[in-house]
Amino acid sequence: MEQSNILEKTDKSKSVQPITNSFPVTGMTCAACAGSVESILGHTDGVKNASVNFASSSVLVEYDPVLQPSDLQSALQSVGYDLIVDKENPSEAQENLKKQHYQDVKQRTIWSAVLTLPVFIIGMFYMDWEPGRWISLVLTIPILFWFGRSFFINAFKQAKHGKANMDTLVALSTGIAFLFSIFNTLFPNFWHARGIHPHVYYEAATVIITFISLGKLMEEKAKSNTSSAIKKLMGLQPKTLKVIQNGEEIEMPISSVQKGDTIVVRPGEKIPVDGEVSEGSSFLDESMITGEPIPVEKTKGAEVFAGTVNQKGSFQFIAKKVGGETLLSQIIKMVQQAQGSKAPVQKLVDKIAGVFVPVVITIAILTFITWMLIGGDDALTHALLTSVAVLVIACPCALGLATPTAIMVGIGKGAENNILIKDAESLELGHQTNAIVLDKTGTITKGKPTVTDWHWEKTATYYQQVLLAIESKSEHPLADAVVAKLKNEGLNPESIQNFESITGMGAEARSIDGERYYIGNQRLLESKNILLSSSVQSQSSNWSNEGKTVIFFANESSVLAILAISDEIKESSAYAIKTLQERGIDVYMLTGDNKQTAKAVAEQVGIDHFKAEVMPSDKADFVKELQARGKVVAMVGDGINDSHALAQADVSIAMGKGSDIAMDVAKMTLITSDLQAIPKALKLSERTVQGIRQNLFWAFIYNIIGIPIAAGVLYAYNGFLLDPMIAGAAMAFSSVSVVANSLRLKAAKL
């Protein structure tokens, strides 16, 4: 793929183009952190633009060349985050850090739960047992300030930036409940003197920490399974190659190859760099670039690309592009940039928390002040109890569970229906999809060339056995399809001799009785002066118009048979596409195949919009074009050539029988090859989002009712003040209602 040189300046100014790089980020725990990283880098001198992808823990930075990556790293380190600028293998370094962080969170959650259990039992069933208070105090200290320390640290970080999130509310509610309980444990006589029995709320503080930690663990588990697509793409390039120097073959590391070197490639080997064939010929599997299953013939002067696979022949080629210039390297870079430039969807919960947390804190403060002013003799008592009750009842446990519980059930439901879902973003966006882009090969079609039709002028079994014998010896990739077809008919090969491959046309051989036979394209028959009957010409034309590859089998005097080979359309494709269109979704088909084949397939499955002969970057550009028109785009593909477009799309869906790269980049993978799973996936998204919204309703409805009661609005009417213990129970009930509502999705029909 030629890259136009747009970086050159014809004017005399010294201006230079900014550098764009993607860096892994560590230390981000929520969308608010991502916003902070983006803001800090954005205000760093020399940085033009910074875009954080919280889902992949990376940031795409556009900056002046005078700025070093270490400068960006220092800017983030000063506020508690970090940037991985290790040029050797930043992805691996980030992956190791994530694994370590996940294990830390897992250990903290387990120990927090173990220590919380006795505190909970004492608080709920033995609240008047005097030694129980001291036991609970001892157990609560490590839960809050060691295993739950991240909540307090993150709350402090947010406060430094003048922000508040759910960590802020967790830290405040648990911190105040703990301090209030410590006071009651150490100075119970303060309350006894006022005729009040002092309660402690250690169990409320510890249960809150454990519940929220469990939610964080689920989030970290999902994030620890991050895409290894880039690593696998890099694995497509061999580590060594064979170069001819002074007439000898020398094996050297790929990093040592230079432009102009002559490289040798043998059968089954991967092409190490981009170049041009100088000697020999072969067929190359270029499906990673074009997505097409039929290998491409390469003769002298033809271009070859890194990462593609040589089939049966051997050849030499001259290296033209090495290192970061190769097409494979460009694909890797495009996938990195598409993933890094896509800002994360701001979670609805984070948006609400941004308003909810300051409001709750304000209400708690106002409650305290109000009771101090109007509380009379028991002003301090009522002020403390009511303000703590407000903070406890407003604990974001239900709010924190609203999304992950619905997502977990949704993911499980998807798995039951052959839909594997990687993250919440796909489920949140799927139901909004109004444009879907389908790759042709392996998605709409089966992805494997087969003999779809044949017409025999002479039907003798002997001729079929001769054809099987010739194709069994042929190195042409289409020969395998013919062999499979004939063997399925129960045939065995006839004996032949003098087999000869004819480059660019086909093959010939003699039977034992000396008769010569030919198999190949029409040019081969013309070169042998073999005439085509009108029926053969008509049939050949019809199949060609359907986008099928036509091959001829003949003896020295006439055509014996013609065969049509193509990539068959899946039985369910047309119905699935019709279902999508009935949902009001525009369906587009993109393929690297020729226009004639693309048109034939589009007509058969009912697609009005299609593009043929597209390269990997063209697919991604088409997705961008649709997004620029305001479309929410889903991309469905199965090949490495689809990876850039999958990374660019709002919703990315990979076919399970496709490449590992496509499945790694995509946020959804269909285990089945049945396209009807796509409408099901979109419906699952709709149901899951409904569940999240309902959960948020249940999470808030008790707050709307409970917070005013906790603040003491009923006291003037009936003298009722909400005990913080009851507030804790109400908090627990709201969490149970959220989980129960999420589980309803299990019974839904897709």
Side-chain angles (χ1 to χ4, degrees):
M1 180 175 59
E2 292 294 326
Q3 300 292 320
S4 58
N5 186 4
I6 59 171
L7 302 182
E8 293 182 1
K9 297 289 184 181
T10 54
D11 60 357
K12 295 181 180 180
S13 67
K14 297 290 184 180
S15 62
V16 290
Q17 287 290 327
I19 297 171
T20 301
N21 265 331
S22 180
F23 300 100
V25 182
T26 62
M28 296 192 299
T29 59
C30 62
C33 294
S36 297
V37 170
E38 205 166 89
S39 175
I40 292 156
L41 289 176
H43 288 89
T44 302
D45 290 339
V47 174
K48 304 292 184 184
N49 186 44
S51 176
V52 173
N53 186 333
F54 178 57
S56 63
S57 298
S58 64
V59 59
L60 189 69
V61 189
E62 185 182 358
Y63 58 96
D64 290 335
V66 293
L67 203 63
Q68 297 298 315
S70 56
D71 298 326
L72 304 174
Q73 185 182 38
S74 299
L76 287 185
Q77 286 175 337
S78 65
V79 288
Y81 306 107
D82 201 359
L83 206 64
I84 299 176
V85 295
D86 172 24
K87 292 183 180 179
E88 291 273 327
N89 200 337
S91 297
E92 187 174 338
Q94 183 190 33
E95 191 175 339
N96 291 336
L97 285 171
K98 281 185 177 180
K99 286 179 180 177
Q100 182 182 340
H101 180 61
Y102 171 72
Q103 290 301 323
D104 290 344
V105 173
K106 184 178 179 180
Q107 291 297 322
R108 290 203 300 265
T109 303
I110 291 172
W111 280 107
S112 177
V114 168
L115 296 181
T116 293
L117 184 60
V119 176
F120 176 77
I121 292 172
I122 292 169
M124 295 303 292
F125 304 107
Y126 303 97
M127 65 280 291
D128 295 325
W129 183 40
E130 193 64 29
R133 298 184 172 208
W134 294 98
I135 295 171
S136 296
L137 169 60
V138 171
L139 294 176
T140 300
I141 289 173
I143 294 172
L144 260 65
F145 304 114
W146 183 249
F147 302 123
R149 66 187 184 277
S150 60
F151 297 107
F152 295 90
I153 293 169
N154 294 333
F156 178 69
K157 283 183 182 179
Q158 293 300 314
K160 280 172 63 178
H161 296 293
K163 298 177 181 179
N165 65 357
M166 280 169 43
D167 286 338
T168 308
L169 201 52
V170 171
L172 273 175
S173 60
T174 56
I176 292 173
F178 176 73
L179 292 173
F180 185 59
S181 298
I182 268 199
F183 180 84
N184 290 355
T185 302
L186 297 175
F187 307 106
N189 291 331
F190 176 85
W191 299 106
H192 288 148
R194 290 162 175 77
I196 297 173
H197 180 70
H199 288 288
V200 293
Y201 305 100
Y202 295 119
E203 80 288 343
T206 55
V207 167
I208 288 167
I209 291 291
T210 301
F211 274 6
I212 300 296
S213 294
L214 188 59
K216 292 275 186 183
L217 180 65
M218 291 190 294
E219 181 183 339
E220 290 301 326
K221 183 172 178 60
K223 289 171 70 177
S224 69
N225 296 323
T226 52
S227 168
S228 57
I230 304 301
K231 187 176 179 181
K232 288 181 180 177
L233 277 171
M234 291 175 176
L236 291 174
Q237 192 173 47
K239 300 291 185 287
T240 62
L241 74 170
K242 297 180 181 70
V243 176
I244 295 180
Q245 290 184 351
N246 301 321
E248 294 183 4
E249 283 187 24
I250 299 173
E251 188 168 352
M252 64 169 62
I254 193 167
S255 56
S256 302
V257 70
Q258 302 291 324
K259 291 181 183 179
D261 283 348
T262 299
I263 299 166
V264 179
V265 181
R266 293 195 164 76
E269 294 182 345
K270 292 177 181 176
I271 309 303
V273 295
D274 292 1
E276 183 179 298
V277 177
S278 58
E279 185 179 316
S281 65
S282 183
F283 287 88
L284 265 59
D285 179 357
E286 293 189 339
S287 58
M288 63 150 287
I289 300 171
T290 64
E292 297 311 310
I294 299 175
V296 181
E297 185 178 12
K298 298 292 181 180
T299 55
K300 186 174 181 179
E303 286 185 313
V304 294
F305 303 101
T308 57
V309 182
N310 185 26
Q311 297 284 283
K312 299 176 181 178
S314 297
F315 64 94
Q316 298 177 9
F317 73 95
I318 307 298
K320 296 291 185 182
K321 293 181 179 179
V322 298
E325 298 177 345
T326 66
L327 179 59
L328 178 60
S329 297
Q330 293 298 318
I331 291 175
I332 292 170
K333 186 176 181 181
M334 287 187 293
V335 172
Q336 284 177 321
Q337 292 197 354
Q339 287 181 330
S341 64
K342 206 166 62 170
V345 176
Q346 178 108 28
K347 297 290 184 286
L348 184 58
V349 172
D350 288 317
K351 290 182 178 179
I352 294 168
V355 177
F356 178 69
V357 177
V359 167
V360 170
I361 294 170
T362 303
I363 291 172
I365 293 170
L366 289 175
T367 298
F368 184 88
I369 294 171
T370 302
W371 278 104
M372 287 299 293
L373 294 174
I374 66 171
D377 294 338
D378 296 323
L380 180 60
T381 302
H382 292 329
L384 281 172
L385 287 174
T386 52
S387 57
V388 169
V390 167
L391 286 170
V392 170
I393 202 167
C395 171
C397 232
L399 197 58
L401 290 170
T403 299
T405 53
I407 294 299
M408 282 183 69
V409 177
I411 289 172
K413 185 72 176 178
E416 291 174 10
N417 288 272
N418 298 314
I419 305 162
L420 296 182
I421 299 160
K422 274 192 179 180
D423 65 1
E425 186 178 341
S426 298
L427 283 177
E428 289 181 1
L429 277 177
H431 73 291
Q432 300 176 22
T433 299
N434 51 24
I436 189 161
V437 179
L438 302 174
D439 173 50
K440 177 182 77 70
T441 306
T443 303
I444 295 175
T445 65
K446 293 181 179 178
K448 184 180 180 181
T450 55
V451 176
T452 57
D453 310 273
W454 63 10
H455 169 74
W456 287 86
E457 292 281 289
K458 297 180 180 180
T459 56
T461 301
Y462 173 76
Y463 291 133
Q464 294 180 337
Q465 292 174 321
V466 171
L467 175 60
L468 175 57
I470 297 173
E471 290 291 60
S472 296
K473 290 181 176 292
S474 175
E475 293 184 351
H476 196 286
L478 294 184
D480 294 336
V482 179
V483 169
K485 174 71 173 176
L486 291 167
K487 284 187 175 180
N488 284 340
E489 298 290 322
L491 298 167
N492 294 311
E494 185 62 63
S495 297
I496 59 169
Q497 56 190 6
N498 299 336
F499 174 87
E500 182 183 349
S501 178
I502 305 171
T503 304
M505 290 192 284
E508 65 174 87
R510 287 181 183 274
S511 62
I512 298 300
D513 59 13
E515 187 172 6
R516 192 176 295 276
Y517 293 91
Y518 306 96
I519 177 73
N521 55 28
Q522 191 168 336
R523 283 190 296 136
L524 175 61
L525 269 61
E526 290 171 353
S527 69
K528 303 299 179 182
N529 298 315
I530 299 171
L531 299 177
L532 277 64
S533 67
S534 59
S535 63
V536 168
Q537 287 180 335
S538 175
Q539 190 64 74
S540 172
S541 178
N542 290 338
W543 287 341
S544 295
N545 290 335
E546 291 174 9
K548 298 176 180 179
T549 301
V550 180
I551 59 173
F552 301 84
F553 177 48
N555 58 18
E556 294 177 89
S557 59
S558 63
V559 174
L560 301 174
I562 57 172
L563 299 87
I565 297 177
S566 75
D567 187 7
E568 284 188 286
I569 294 171
K570 295 173 186 173
E571 293 80 2
S572 61
S573 293
Y575 180 77
I577 289 164
K578 183 181 178 182
T579 304
L580 291 169
Q581 290 168 338
E582 287 173 350
R583 287 175 61 99
I585 298 173
D586 295 331
V587 181
Y588 303 84
M589 183 185 79
L590 301 183
T591 177
D593 211 339
N594 61 70
K595 291 180 181 178
Q596 192 175 31
T597 301
K599 182 180 179 182
V601 172
E603 287 176 349
Q604 287 182 63
V605 296
I607 292 178
D608 297 323
H609 313 289
F610 68 90
K611 289 185 74 174
E613 300 174 0
V614 294
M615 294 291 283
S617 59
D618 297 330
K619 291 185 179 182
D621 289 341
F622 184 73
V623 171
K624 285 182 185 176
E625 183 185 321
L626 291 176
Q627 289 170 327
R629 284 155 46 186
K631 298 282 189 181
V632 177
V633 184
M635 171 70 195
V636 185
D638 75 324
I640 297 165
N641 62 302
D642 302 318
S643 57
H644 183 198
L646 286 167
Q648 179 63 44
D650 300 296
V651 179
S652 48
I653 304 173
M655 306 303 292
K657 293 183 179 178
S659 73
D660 289 344
I661 309 300
M663 287 187 279
D664 244 9
V665 173
K667 301 298 175 63
M668 292 187 189
T669 297
L670 306 182
I671 302 173
T672 175
S673 59
D674 189 346
L675 280 190
Q676 292 184 68
I678 297 173
K680 285 184 179 180
L682 301 184
K683 190 172 183 180
L684 176 64
S685 165
E686 186 179 342
R687 290 294 183 89
T688 306
V689 170
Q690 283 177 358
I692 291 172
R693 289 172 179 167
Q694 290 165 356
N695 285 348
L696 291 175
F697 169 80
W698 289 113
F700 277 103
I701 192 68
Y702 96 100
N703 271 319
I704 292 170
I705 297 170
I707 288 176
I709 294 175
V713 295
L714 296 179
Y715 187 78
Y717 299 100
N718 55 17
F720 177 78
L721 280 180
L722 184 67
D723 191 307
M725 178 70 75
I726 299 174
M731 177 272 294
F733 176 75
S734 70
S735 299
V736 171
S737 64
V738 161
V739 173
N741 184 61
S742 296
L743 291 173
R744 291 194 312 123
L745 181 60
K746 282 189 174 184
K749 289 185 179 181
L750 299 181

